[in-house]
Amino acid sequence: MAQILNRDTALFHFLTRIGDSTLILGHRVSEWCGHSPMLEEDIALANTALDLIGHTRMWLGLAAEVEGKGRSADDLAFLRDSMDFTNLLLVEQPNGDFGQTMMRQLLFDAWHLPYLNALKSFPDPRVAGIAEKATKEVAYHVDRAADLVVRLGDGTHESHTRMQAALDELWPCVGEMFSTDEVDAMLAPDAPKPDRIRDAWDATILPTLARATLAVPATRFTRQGGKTGRHSEHLGHVLAQMQFLQRAYPGATW
Amino acid sequence: MYAQIVESTGKAVKTLNEMEGEERVFQERINAGGKIEPKDWMPDGYRKTMVRQISQHAHSEIVGQLPEGNWITRAPTLERKAILLAKVQDEAGHGLYLYCAAETLGISRDQMFDQLHSGKAKYSSIFNYPTLTWADIGAVGWLVDQAAIMNQVPLQRSSYGPYARAMVRICKEESFHQRQGFDIMMKMCEGTAAQKRMAQDALNRFWAPSLMMFGPPDADSVHSAQSMAWKIKMNSNDELRQKFVDAVVPQAEFLGLTIPDENLAWNDKKGGYDFTDPDWQEFMAVIHGNGPCNRERLAARVKAWDDGAWVRDGLNTHAAKKRKAAKPVAG
């Protein structure tokens, strides 16, 4: 991240940021397979994870192409260390209970969808094309996450308490989604500046939380660093698991 | 196979002449290749046997998510990860519509879960073996899904309509899974020495448990005659096991792997391979809860269910609130 930015390196960083976020969130969601509260959710969570891994293949594939150093999407996913991962801190947070997983999903989806919508008019058709494809799936992610957050927030006393706790826990990771740095500045106005997404995010989140009878946390504390490779301790463990085979058997074809 | 020991409650098989009334009509329809549908009359024994068969199959699908799900977060490439995720999702889907098929016989999904969680209901012994390396994911697809297909293709002709129809869709997806498993094995076998070693080790561990998937030897399979008369079992256990071995041996040769059986030999007279029976004592132990992973598998399912109680309660309570709000005020 420290090297001098030009338009191509900025595009590479921009693509890995979004690809890393979909990869790490997809990984987290996939941890639920076979362990969710009901069979329908096993299917739905696997489906969400599958969508996100699908997006990852496209974003990191394009990042590798733009970089032009002969790396593949798999090289980027499996052979970089945490300092080169630039996903949002939000997505690497542990699953916690089902409520925390769905709250994390909603907070991310409400950012993801307007961000992709804006990218549909990106001048490079490769970027616009991926955004176009991903938008359809992500629109459904938003609906599903919002629906579950409302029903659990406005369910029993216990489900309400758990959903509020999840929101309070994750809230400090929200601000990073809207932070804007030199990578974003270099690509503007082709790519939306993240701070421009906040209104659209609020327009989804605030009414949803109100319907869920949940209170917007008062804290103004914001955690940052994911976008520049400074992560929580959680990411190292995700990578240790995810990258095990590629690291243990270098050069093997799978 | 996914339903290995279905205790049929039917007594000795009656001939058509010994039957009268509804029972005779029922058996005549089966004999003519017709289907029994949920609202049709059926003997209690048939109903109970079908509930056992379908629910064992459904439980196998959802417990089967666990050994394969074990490698989703460690899949070696993004493509393999996506394929495995899709596969495990298919299995949950199979579980879902099999539970629905069983529900047509008058049992609820919650009741079936209770039976699974209490240890009363069985599921396929194969899922009580651990997946220790990535090659196991290949071996499960190659061997386990292939065994599943051999058992389930004939069950598309099961006399019970909802089960037969569920099997049509399941078989399509299983054959896709089997090809993916074989593809993993091919890559491993064409790969480095370490990969090939992993592949051979996976075959060594999964060979005998795969043979067990077809259930006990015919001589010990006491419930088969009635099930065959009812056309809910189409082939004998040994017949399907032989078919499986005959199919797998050339595949292993193609891969350059060795089947872990010194007695494996082609028998010209029977037109199939001779092979060593798996350890049936081990099979019975696994069926009765004492396999390598029985406790972990059941504990994982129970934990998922118990941890999810607040979610289900929350959703039900929300739905009740909405219903109450929607109810017109009495005038």
Side-chain angles (χ1 to χ4, degrees):
Chain A
M1 273 301 299
Q3 73 264 47
I4 300 161
L5 276 181
N6 59 40
R7 172 94 192 171
D8 282 346
T9 54
L11 184 57
F12 173 77
H13 287 304
F14 156 82
L15 291 167
T16 50
R17 277 178 181 179
I18 187 160
D20 289 347
S21 282
T22 55
L23 173 59
I24 301 302
L25 185 59
H27 177 102
R28 281 296 192 209
V29 175
S30 78
E31 292 172 1
W32 276 101
C33 262
H35 303 279
S36 84
M38 52 219 148
L39 198 43
E40 286 81 352
E41 282 305 318
D42 278 333
I43 296 171
L45 289 163
N47 200 51
T48 304
L50 194 53
D51 288 346
L52 291 166
I53 297 303
H55 303 165
T56 305
R57 292 173 69 187
M58 296 189 280
W59 289 125
L60 294 186
L62 182 54
E65 189 181 320
V66 164
E67 187 190 40
K69 291 185 183 167
R71 290 203 281 184
S72 65
D74 282 337
D75 291 336
L76 293 175
F78 296 97
L79 297 174
R80 283 178 302 154
D81 202 347
S82 64
M83 69 186 79
D84 293 321
F85 265 79
T86 53
N87 58 279
L88 297 163
L89 293 179
L90 176 68
V91 299
E92 70 197 43
Q93 299 309 303
N95 285 341
D97 62 16
F98 181 76
Q100 192 166 321
T101 291
M102 290 319 302
M103 185 60 79
R104 184 186 62 200
Q105 192 69 40
L106 174 66
L107 298 175
F108 178 76
D109 291 343
W111 169 86
H112 197 190
L113 183 61
Y115 198 67
L116 290 174
N117 271 329
L119 289 178
K120 286 199 275 192
S121 48
F122 197 91
D124 184 332
R126 295 173 299 178
V127 174
I130 298 172
E132 184 75 46
K133 276 189 206 157
T135 304
K136 294 184 188 101
E137 290 165 351
V138 172
Y140 176 68
H141 296 180
V142 176
D143 288 348
R144 182 180 120 72
D147 179 58
L148 279 165
V149 166
V150 167
R151 287 153 72 196
L152 291 172
D154 183 24
T156 58
H157 176 69
E158 182 181 4
S159 71
H160 174 85
T161 308
R162 283 175 181 265
M163 295 313 285
Q164 186 66 54
L167 181 61
D168 294 347
E169 171 76 19
L170 295 169
W171 195 257
C173 294
V174 163
E176 188 186 28
M177 292 192 282
F178 310 108
S179 68
T180 298
D181 66 8
E182 68 275 19
V183 172
D184 303 304
M186 177 85 63
L187 291 175
D190 296 341
K193 280 191 169 181
D195 54 1
R196 296 287 178 84
I197 300 296
R198 180 84 198 211
D199 287 346
W201 187 86
D202 281 343
T204 301
I205 292 294
L206 299 179
T208 303
L209 294 183
R211 283 172 58 217
T213 70
L214 297 172
V216 174
T219 181
R220 301 186 68 171
F221 169 55
T222 294
R223 293 171 63 184
Q224 304 225 31
K227 288 176 70 171
T228 53
R230 294 195 176 184
H231 291 274
S232 64
E233 289 178 346
H234 303 299
L235 184 67
H237 296 277
V238 168
L239 298 185
Q241 193 173 40
M242 186 173 83
Q243 299 180 338
F244 157 66
L245 281 167
Q246 292 271 359
R247 300 289 192 183
Y249 301 94
T253 304
W254 304 94
Chain B
M1 184 258 359
Y2 272 16
Q4 289 161 313
I5 298 201
V6 179
E7 289 160 22
S8 157
T9 50
K11 298 186 182 79
V13 184
K14 280 192 208 169
T15 64
L16 207 53
N17 287 336
E18 292 168 312
M19 297 177 190
E20 48 189 42
E22 287 167 316
E23 189 177 10
R24 192 177 170 119
V25 173
F26 166 86
Q27 189 63 51
E28 277 173 344
R29 187 188 304 173
I30 289 176
N31 292 351
K35 296 277 180 243
I36 305 302
E37 296 299 335
K39 292 196 169 132
D40 294 340
W41 183 91
M42 61 187 86
D44 282 348
Y46 179 89
R47 184 183 299 276
K48 282 182 188 157
T49 308
M50 277 321 297
V51 166
R52 287 202 182 114
Q53 187 179 7
I54 302 175
S55 64
Q56 275 185 33
H57 189 164
H59 295 328
S60 298
E61 296 282 357
I62 61 159
V63 176
Q65 290 182 93
L66 301 171
E68 296 191 86
N70 184 37
W71 277 92
I72 289 174
T73 57
R74 291 177 291 168
T77 67
L78 294 171
E79 186 184 14
R80 292 286 180 208
K81 193 186 285 284
I83 290 171
L84 185 56
L85 259 169
K87 180 184 180 188
V88 176
Q89 187 192 22
D90 283 349
E91 277 151 14
H94 297 171
L96 189 60
Y97 47 82
L98 287 166
Y99 283 123
C100 293
E103 281 179 321
T104 63
L105 291 158
I107 186 170
S108 71
R109 204 201 305 180
D110 282 357
Q111 284 173 304
M112 288 183 270
F113 276 169
D114 280 347
Q115 291 172 354
L116 175 67
H117 297 159
S118 69
K120 190 182 159 213
K122 298 194 168 42
Y123 56 87
S124 178
S125 57
I126 193 74
F127 300 119
N128 291 311
Y129 290 86
T131 50
L132 301 177
T133 73
W134 173 250
D136 289 12
I137 298 305
V140 167
W142 172 36
L143 301 173
V144 175
D145 292 326
Q146 187 163 194
I149 293 163
M150 281 184 182
N151 190 270
Q152 290 164 17
V153 163
L155 289 176
Q156 295 178 98
R157 291 178 283 120
S158 165
S159 64
Y160 191 56
Y163 190 51
R165 290 188 287 273
M167 222 42 68
V168 172
R169 178 163 166 190
I170 289 176
C171 284
K172 274 187 200 147
E173 292 179 347
E174 292 292 359
S175 71
F176 196 53
H177 297 167
Q178 194 251 325
R179 285 204 295 276
Q180 291 163 346
F182 193 72
D183 186 58
I184 291 178
M185 294 307 280
M186 282 211 301
K187 278 279 187 309
M188 305 288 286
C189 291
E190 291 163 358
T192 64
Q195 285 176 298
K196 193 153 184 192
R197 179 175 167 233
M198 256 190 263
Q200 182 64 55
D201 177 61
L203 174 58
N204 292 349
R205 283 180 290 106
F206 274 94
W207 174 250
S210 298
L211 297 180
M212 293 176 193
M213 287 177 70
F214 299 94
D218 291 352
D220 304 333
S221 189
V222 288
H223 307 291
S224 287
Q226 178 64 76
S227 293
M228 292 222 185
W230 279 336
K231 292 195 185 169
I232 56 180
K233 184 179 173 91
M234 325 301 278
N235 307 84
S236 83
N237 296 351
D238 287 339
E239 213 176 299
L240 290 171
R241 196 168 5 254
Q242 182 69 51
K243 198 175 166 203
F244 174 77
V245 172
D246 292 345
V248 169
V249 171
Q251 293 165 358
E253 279 168 7
F254 177 82
L255 290 170
L257 297 176
T258 308
I259 303 270
D261 180 358
E262 289 176 355
N263 301 318
L264 188 83
W266 177 258
N267 180 333
D268 245 344
K269 216 161 94 191
K270 74 172 178 186
Y273 286 90
D274 289 332
F275 58 95
T276 309
D277 259 357
D279 178 350
W280 293 116
Q281 274 184 341
E282 177 182 316
F283 170 71
M284 290 316 290
V286 178
I287 285 287
H288 290 111
N290 292 317
C293 295
N294 294 60
R295 285 167 179 77
E296 289 97 319
R297 298 288 185 247
L298 203 53
R301 288 309 309 170
V302 170
K303 183 175 190 303
W305 187 248
D306 290 349
D307 287 354
W310 73 268
V311 176
R312 298 188 301 275
D313 289 347
L315 298 178
N316 285 335
T317 302
H318 180 81
K321 284 182 192 177
K322 290 286 136 185
R323 274 197 302 273
K324 204 170 161 194
K327 216 183 247 177
V329 181

